[in-house]
């Protein structure tokens, strides 16, 4: 029956890839990732993240939304840190999709970690700072005029 299905092209063409260890796929991806991208520091960080994530997977078929969510919940630090981990994983998943090693994007069902935006708290100037600002605006035009036409 399996032979007949193969002749009818009913078998999964990605079966060979899905049964291989995820770390093998990662080893094939890393040279592509290192060839492009940003700084060496960024590439090293992404590689460390991907190695940690791929270590949680056995075969590539274990790459699911649940596995990604489980990994992200174990990441220490802020939501911004979890976003960086998700970003690194998404680069690898995009490559796997492009090379037709997986059928669909498991990250479509993964929630992006909330938070991580730093906001600057605004504050009013102190009275002494306002006075210095006003003094500088009074002096500046006169000083510039005198210096220009000496």
């Amino acid at each position: 029956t399996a032979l007949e299905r193969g002749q009818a092209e009913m078998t999964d063409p990605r079966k060979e890839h899905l049964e291989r260890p995820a770390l093998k796929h990662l080893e094939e991806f890393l040279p592509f990732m290192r060839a492009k991208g940003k700084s060496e520091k960024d590439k090293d960080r992404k590689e460390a993240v991907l190695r940690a994530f791929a270590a949680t997977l056995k075969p590539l078929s274990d790459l699911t939304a649940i596995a990604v969510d489980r990994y992200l919940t174990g990441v220490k630090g802020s939501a911004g840190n979890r976003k960086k981990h998700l970003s690194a994983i998404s680069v690898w998943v995009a490559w796997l999709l492009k090379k037709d090693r997986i059928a669909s994007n498991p990250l479509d069902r993964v929630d992006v970690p909330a938070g991580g935006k730093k906001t600057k708290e605004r504050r009013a100037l102190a009275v002494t700072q306002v006075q210095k600002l006003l003094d500088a605006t009074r002096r500046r035009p006169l000083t510039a005029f005198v210096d220009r036409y000496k």
Side-chain angles (χ1 to χ4, degrees):
T1 306
L3 182 61
E4 290 171 359
R5 287 183 182 163
Q7 289 172 347
E9 297 180 8
M10 292 176 58
T11 58
D12 188 1
R14 297 170 198 89
K15 182 179 179 189
E16 172 189 337
H17 294 298
L18 294 173
E19 291 173 347
R20 287 180 54 219
L23 284 171
K24 297 284 185 188
H25 292 280
L26 180 61
E27 293 297 332
E28 294 170 6
F29 165 71
L30 289 175
F32 290 100
M33 189 251 325
R34 291 225 171 252
K36 345 178 182 175
K38 300 178 184 176
S39 67
E40 284 301 314
K41 182 179 177 183
D42 182 61
K43 292 174 190 176
D44 291 342
R45 182 188 58 79
K46 281 183 181 173
E47 182 177 343
V49 166
L50 290 172
R51 285 190 184 280
F53 174 65
T56 65
L57 309 173
K58 298 291 184 225
L60 187 61
S61 59
D62 289 350
L63 177 59
T64 61
I66 294 169
V68 175
D69 281 333
R70 190 178 310 125
Y71 172 76
L72 290 176
T73 56
V75 172
K76 303 280 189 233
S78 67
N81 190 32
R82 285 189 291 280
K83 283 182 184 179
K84 288 179 183 178
H85 282 250
L86 181 59
S87 173
I89 294 168
S90 70
V91 171
W92 184 42
V93 168
W95 180 82
L96 290 169
L97 283 167
K98 183 178 179 182
K99 297 298 181 183
D100 200 31
R101 296 181 183 207
I102 55 176
S104 62
N105 189 345
L107 301 181
D108 288 342
R109 294 180 296 279
V110 174
D111 294 328
V112 176
K117 293 226 176 194
K118 293 181 182 177
T119 57
K120 185 173 183 174
E121 288 192 31
R122 308 262 179 211
R123 59 179 177 78
L125 292 175
V127 175
T128 56
Q129 292 173 322
V130 172
Q131 189 59 51
K132 286 180 181 180
L133 176 64
L134 292 174
D135 291 341
T137 55
R138 277 189 217 108
R139 279 192 315 268
R140 172 72 174 104
L142 293 174
T143 306
F145 180 79
V146 171
D147 289 344
R148 183 181 300 161
Y149 295 105
K150 277 187 182 181

